[in-house]
Amino acid sequence: MAAATALAHMAMVKPCSRYTPRGDCPPLPAGQEFDYSLNSPLEPNAPLCKHTVPYSTPVETWTAGQQVTVKFDSVNGAAHGGGHAQFSVSYDGGKTFAVVHEVLKHIFFNGPSSSNTPEVLSYTFKLPSDLPSSKKVVFAWSWVNAIGNREFYMNCADVEVKGTSSSYSGKQMVVANINGYPTIPAFNGNYDTGLDMYKNAKNVTVKPTD
């Protein structure tokens, strides 16, 4: 029981994360298996997104500038006192991610918390109006937890975006706490911990390759 509890963290359920076992999501890509630990952090040497083979068709279709809602699993969720989270897009198969929205300090909560029980499980935000069109956009949620082992969480979903721009420029997604990247220490009540990495992230430009 202890081992199972230790693996229970948070996972993105809308849009459908790659290889989710949820029955309301598309069938797996050929040759792949369901991932029953999508709510676990990335392993130290894992690739970004964890799963690199995309679905054959997008799980959702969005339009640049529209409001979108991202939802998270509340079953056995462990929110680790919040932390920093970003929502990002990639147009090159998951190599380069540009941020479209971020929730810093208190993801899953309404303010400082030492709780493992999330208060907020849904975020609605407006997509940038200058996102270009592509049927092969990788949408990512990433999270650095405030409390506990130093970990990096990331789920990815395959979406289509309809837009009129030729490219989009935004802050580069922060990656931390896995091999080859900086470590953001436990917050210990200081929710400004690691914020400099987010505020000083360089800008990157992403554009369709399909």
Side-chain angles (χ1 to χ4, degrees), residues 61-66 91 127-135 137 160-168 208:
T61 298
W62 294 340
T63 300
Q66 81 166 83
Y91 283 77
L127 292 173
S129 59
D130 54 344
L131 290 179
S133 288
S134 174
K135 293 183 178 180
V137 178
E160 177 181 0
V161 172
K162 296 181 177 180
T164 57
S165 175
S166 60
S167 64
Y168 168 71

mmCIF file of all heavy atoms in Angstrom, residues 61-66 91 127-135 137 160-168 208:
data_model
loop_
_atom_site.group_PDB
_atom_site.id
_atom_site.type_symbol
_atom_site.label_atom_id
_atom_site.label_comp_id
_atom_site.label_asym_id
_atom_site.label_seq_id
_atom_site.Cartn_x
_atom_site.Cartn_y
_atom_site.Cartn_z
ATOM 1 N N THR A 61 -9.169 19.687 -30.973
ATOM 2 C CA THR A 61 -8.874 20.726 -31.956
ATOM 3 C C THR A 61 -9.163 22.081 -31.325
ATOM 4 O O THR A 61 -10.273 22.323 -30.848
ATOM 5 C CB THR A 61 -9.714 20.554 -33.231
ATOM 6 O OG1 THR A 61 -9.392 19.285 -33.833
ATOM 7 C CG2 THR A 61 -9.428 21.661 -34.225
ATOM 8 N N TRP A 62 -8.158 22.937 -31.321
ATOM 9 C CA TRP A 62 -8.260 24.261 -30.715
ATOM 10 C C TRP A 62 -8.035 25.325 -31.780
ATOM 11 O O TRP A 62 -7.412 25.066 -32.814
ATOM 12 C CB TRP A 62 -7.217 24.437 -29.615
ATOM 13 C CG TRP A 62 -7.405 23.552 -28.415
ATOM 14 C CD1 TRP A 62 -8.547 22.918 -28.027
ATOM 15 C CD2 TRP A 62 -6.414 23.205 -27.442
ATOM 16 N NE1 TRP A 62 -8.331 22.200 -26.866
ATOM 17 C CE2 TRP A 62 -7.034 22.362 -26.488
ATOM 18 C CE3 TRP A 62 -5.068 23.528 -27.274
ATOM 19 C CZ2 TRP A 62 -6.342 21.844 -25.389
ATOM 20 C CZ3 TRP A 62 -4.380 23.021 -26.181
ATOM 21 C CH2 TRP A 62 -5.019 22.186 -25.248
ATOM 22 N N THR A 63 -8.506 26.537 -31.491
ATOM 23 C CA THR A 63 -8.287 27.680 -32.355
ATOM 24 C C THR A 63 -7.473 28.719 -31.596
ATOM 25 O O THR A 63 -7.743 28.992 -30.420
ATOM 26 C CB THR A 63 -9.631 28.296 -32.796
ATOM 27 O OG1 THR A 63 -10.373 27.310 -33.513
ATOM 28 C CG2 THR A 63 -9.405 29.504 -33.691
ATOM 29 N N ALA A 64 -6.476 29.267 -32.246
ATOM 30 C CA ALA A 64 -5.657 30.302 -31.617
ATOM 31 C C ALA A 64 -6.557 31.405 -31.064
ATOM 32 O O ALA A 64 -7.497 31.844 -31.723
ATOM 33 C CB ALA A 64 -4.670 30.875 -32.621
ATOM 34 N N GLY A 65 -6.274 31.812 -29.821
ATOM 35 C CA GLY A 65 -7.050 32.869 -29.185
ATOM 36 C C GLY A 65 -8.256 32.399 -28.393
ATOM 37 O O GLY A 65 -8.871 33.195 -27.678
ATOM 38 N N GLN A 66 -8.612 31.115 -28.488
ATOM 39 C CA GLN A 66 -9.784 30.632 -27.764
ATOM 40 C C GLN A 66 -9.441 30.282 -26.322
ATOM 41 O O GLN A 66 -8.284 30.108 -25.950
ATOM 42 C CB GLN A 66 -10.385 29.406 -28.454
ATOM 43 C CG GLN A 66 -9.657 28.088 -28.120
ATOM 44 C CD GLN A 66 -10.437 26.840 -28.524
ATOM 45 O OE1 GLN A 66 -10.388 26.437 -29.672
ATOM 46 N NE2 GLN A 66 -11.137 26.238 -27.579
ATOM 47 N N TYR A 91 5.998 22.453 -31.769
ATOM 48 C CA TYR A 91 5.648 22.202 -33.165
ATOM 49 C C TYR A 91 6.689 21.324 -33.858
ATOM 50 O O TYR A 91 6.588 21.089 -35.054
ATOM 51 C CB TYR A 91 5.495 23.528 -33.909
ATOM 52 C CG TYR A 91 4.184 24.255 -33.634
ATOM 53 C CD1 TYR A 91 3.985 24.945 -32.455
ATOM 54 C CD2 TYR A 91 3.152 24.238 -34.566
ATOM 55 C CE1 TYR A 91 2.789 25.620 -32.203
ATOM 56 C CE2 TYR A 91 1.955 24.906 -34.339
ATOM 57 C CZ TYR A 91 1.780 25.593 -33.153
ATOM 58 O OH TYR A 91 0.586 26.259 -32.908
ATOM 59 N N LEU A 127 -5.642 30.833 -25.147
ATOM 60 C CA LEU A 127 -4.474 30.553 -25.968
ATOM 61 C C LEU A 127 -3.994 31.841 -26.636
ATOM 62 O O LEU A 127 -4.803 32.721 -26.964
ATOM 63 C CB LEU A 127 -4.814 29.533 -27.054
ATOM 64 C CG LEU A 127 -5.130 28.107 -26.614
ATOM 65 C CD1 LEU A 127 -5.606 27.298 -27.814
ATOM 66 C CD2 LEU A 127 -3.921 27.448 -25.967
ATOM 67 N N PRO A 128 -2.692 31.978 -26.858
ATOM 68 C CA PRO A 128 -2.211 33.136 -27.616
ATOM 69 C C PRO A 128 -2.881 33.194 -28.989
ATOM 70 O O PRO A 128 -3.121 32.172 -29.628
ATOM 71 C CB PRO A 128 -0.706 32.873 -27.742
ATOM 72 C CG PRO A 128 -0.378 31.986 -26.577
ATOM 73 C CD PRO A 128 -1.584 31.116 -26.396
ATOM 74 N N SER A 129 -3.165 34.416 -29.444
ATOM 75 C CA SER A 129 -3.850 34.581 -30.726
ATOM 76 C C SER A 129 -2.929 34.347 -31.912
ATOM 77 O O SER A 129 -3.406 34.206 -33.050
ATOM 78 C CB SER A 129 -4.450 35.987 -30.816
ATOM 79 O OG SER A 129 -3.434 36.973 -30.695
ATOM 80 N N ASP A 130 -1.621 34.286 -31.652
ATOM 81 C CA ASP A 130 -0.665 34.135 -32.753
ATOM 82 C C ASP A 130 -0.072 32.729 -32.844
ATOM 83 O O ASP A 130 1.031 32.547 -33.362
ATOM 84 C CB ASP A 130 0.449 35.178 -32.664
ATOM 85 C CG ASP A 130 1.161 35.196 -31.323
ATOM 86 O OD1 ASP A 130 0.621 34.630 -30.354
ATOM 87 O OD2 ASP A 130 2.259 35.785 -31.238
ATOM 88 N N LEU A 131 -0.810 31.737 -32.370
ATOM 89 C CA LEU A 131 -0.376 30.355 -32.577
ATOM 90 C C LEU A 131 -0.635 29.963 -34.028
ATOM 91 O O LEU A 131 -1.711 30.226 -34.571
ATOM 92 C CB LEU A 131 -1.121 29.396 -31.654
ATOM 93 C CG LEU A 131 -0.802 29.445 -30.160
ATOM 94 C CD1 LEU A 131 -1.659 28.424 -29.412
ATOM 95 C CD2 LEU A 131 0.672 29.196 -29.904
ATOM 96 N N PRO A 132 0.326 29.324 -34.682
ATOM 97 C CA PRO A 132 0.105 28.890 -36.071
ATOM 98 C C PRO A 132 -0.688 27.580 -36.147
ATOM 99 O O PRO A 132 -0.842 26.873 -35.142
ATOM 100 C CB PRO A 132 1.519 28.702 -36.606
ATOM 101 C CG PRO A 132 2.363 28.431 -35.405
ATOM 102 C CD PRO A 132 1.719 29.143 -34.253
ATOM 103 N N SER A 133 -1.148 27.274 -37.331
ATOM 104 C CA SER A 133 -1.912 26.044 -37.565
ATOM 105 C C SER A 133 -0.985 24.844 -37.665
ATOM 106 O O SER A 133 0.096 24.914 -38.245
ATOM 107 C CB SER A 133 -2.715 26.156 -38.859
ATOM 108 O OG SER A 133 -3.790 27.033 -38.734
ATOM 109 N N SER A 134 -1.447 23.735 -37.092
ATOM 110 C CA SER A 134 -0.770 22.447 -37.258
ATOM 111 C C SER A 134 -1.664 21.365 -36.672
ATOM 112 O O SER A 134 -2.346 21.579 -35.673
ATOM 113 C CB SER A 134 0.586 22.442 -36.552
ATOM 114 O OG SER A 134 1.162 21.137 -36.621
ATOM 115 N N LYS A 135 -1.639 20.203 -37.300
ATOM 116 C CA LYS A 135 -2.353 19.046 -36.765
ATOM 117 C C LYS A 135 -1.453 18.212 -35.866
ATOM 118 O O LYS A 135 -1.881 17.174 -35.362
ATOM 119 C CB LYS A 135 -2.877 18.174 -37.908
ATOM 120 C CG LYS A 135 -3.958 18.847 -38.745
ATOM 121 C CD LYS A 135 -4.491 17.918 -39.820
ATOM 122 C CE LYS A 135 -5.605 18.591 -40.613
ATOM 123 N NZ LYS A 135 -6.147 17.698 -41.678
ATOM 124 N N VAL A 137 0.563 19.426 -33.056
ATOM 125 C CA VAL A 137 1.055 20.206 -31.924
ATOM 126 C C VAL A 137 1.124 19.318 -30.682
ATOM 127 O O VAL A 137 0.186 18.570 -30.395
ATOM 128 C CB VAL A 137 0.148 21.420 -31.646
ATOM 129 C CG1 VAL A 137 0.638 22.204 -30.433
ATOM 130 C CG2 VAL A 137 0.083 22.319 -32.877
ATOM 131 N N GLU A 160 -4.603 19.544 -32.330
ATOM 132 C CA GLU A 160 -4.563 20.356 -33.543
ATOM 133 C C GLU A 160 -4.853 21.799 -33.154
ATOM 134 O O GLU A 160 -5.714 22.072 -32.316
ATOM 135 C CB GLU A 160 -5.602 19.885 -34.557
ATOM 136 C CG GLU A 160 -5.658 20.747 -35.815
ATOM 137 C CD GLU A 160 -6.701 20.303 -36.819
ATOM 138 O OE1 GLU A 160 -7.411 19.305 -36.552
ATOM 139 O OE2 GLU A 160 -6.816 20.960 -37.874
ATOM 140 N N VAL A 161 -4.107 22.718 -33.752
ATOM 141 C CA VAL A 161 -4.357 24.143 -33.554
ATOM 142 C C VAL A 161 -4.648 24.773 -34.911
ATOM 143 O O VAL A 161 -3.941 24.503 -35.889
ATOM 144 C CB VAL A 161 -3.158 24.854 -32.886
ATOM 145 C CG1 VAL A 161 -3.376 26.370 -32.866
ATOM 146 C CG2 VAL A 161 -2.947 24.345 -31.467
ATOM 147 N N LYS A 162 -5.688 25.607 -34.955
ATOM 148 C CA LYS A 162 -6.016 26.351 -36.159
ATOM 149 C C LYS A 162 -5.717 27.822 -35.911
ATOM 150 O O LYS A 162 -6.223 28.410 -34.949
ATOM 151 C CB LYS A 162 -7.489 26.164 -36.534
ATOM 152 C CG LYS A 162 -7.839 24.728 -36.904
ATOM 153 C CD LYS A 162 -9.296 24.592 -37.300
ATOM 154 C CE LYS A 162 -9.622 23.168 -37.730
ATOM 155 N NZ LYS A 162 -11.054 23.026 -38.129
ATOM 156 N N GLY A 163 -4.850 28.373 -36.721
ATOM 157 C CA GLY A 163 -4.468 29.771 -36.562
ATOM 158 C C GLY A 163 -4.011 30.353 -37.876
ATOM 159 O O GLY A 163 -3.974 29.672 -38.906
ATOM 160 N N THR A 164 -3.647 31.626 -37.853
ATOM 161 C CA THR A 164 -3.255 32.317 -39.081
ATOM 162 C C THR A 164 -1.799 32.767 -39.061
ATOM 163 O O THR A 164 -1.268 33.184 -40.093
ATOM 164 C CB THR A 164 -4.149 33.544 -39.323
ATOM 165 O OG1 THR A 164 -4.075 34.425 -38.193
ATOM 166 C CG2 THR A 164 -5.604 33.114 -39.514
ATOM 167 N N SER A 165 -1.149 32.688 -37.917
ATOM 168 C CA SER A 165 0.238 33.131 -37.810
ATOM 169 C C SER A 165 1.175 32.082 -38.415
ATOM 170 O O SER A 165 0.828 30.898 -38.530
ATOM 171 C CB SER A 165 0.593 33.372 -36.350
ATOM 172 O OG SER A 165 1.955 33.698 -36.194
ATOM 173 N N SER A 166 2.377 32.512 -38.784
ATOM 174 C CA SER A 166 3.371 31.577 -39.317
ATOM 175 C C SER A 166 4.254 30.995 -38.218
ATOM 176 O O SER A 166 4.908 29.967 -38.425
ATOM 177 C CB SER A 166 4.252 32.272 -40.353
ATOM 178 O OG SER A 166 4.939 33.374 -39.782
ATOM 179 N N SER A 167 4.282 31.652 -37.045
ATOM 180 C CA SER A 167 5.110 31.163 -35.942
ATOM 181 C C SER A 167 4.616 31.765 -34.636
ATOM 182 O O SER A 167 3.804 32.708 -34.635
ATOM 183 C CB SER A 167 6.587 31.516 -36.159
ATOM 184 O OG SER A 167 6.765 32.921 -36.158
ATOM 185 N N TYR A 168 5.113 31.232 -33.528
ATOM 186 C CA TYR A 168 4.786 31.757 -32.207
ATOM 187 C C TYR A 168 6.055 31.855 -31.389
ATOM 188 O O TYR A 168 6.872 30.919 -31.367
ATOM 189 C CB TYR A 168 3.784 30.853 -31.486
ATOM 190 C CG TYR A 168 3.616 31.186 -30.016
ATOM 191 C CD1 TYR A 168 2.967 32.347 -29.624
ATOM 192 C CD2 TYR A 168 4.137 30.342 -29.023
ATOM 193 C CE1 TYR A 168 2.833 32.668 -28.280
ATOM 194 C CE2 TYR A 168 3.998 30.653 -27.681
ATOM 195 C CZ TYR A 168 3.345 31.820 -27.312
ATOM 196 O OH TYR A 168 3.224 32.138 -25.963
ATOM 197 N N PRO A 208 5.245 25.490 -37.507
ATOM 198 C CA PRO A 208 4.855 24.176 -38.031
ATOM 199 C C PRO A 208 5.928 23.561 -38.907
ATOM 200 O O PRO A 208 6.663 24.242 -39.621
ATOM 201 C CB PRO A 208 3.587 24.482 -38.842
ATOM 202 C CG PRO A 208 3.122 25.800 -38.359
ATOM 203 C CD PRO A 208 4.329 26.553 -37.939
#
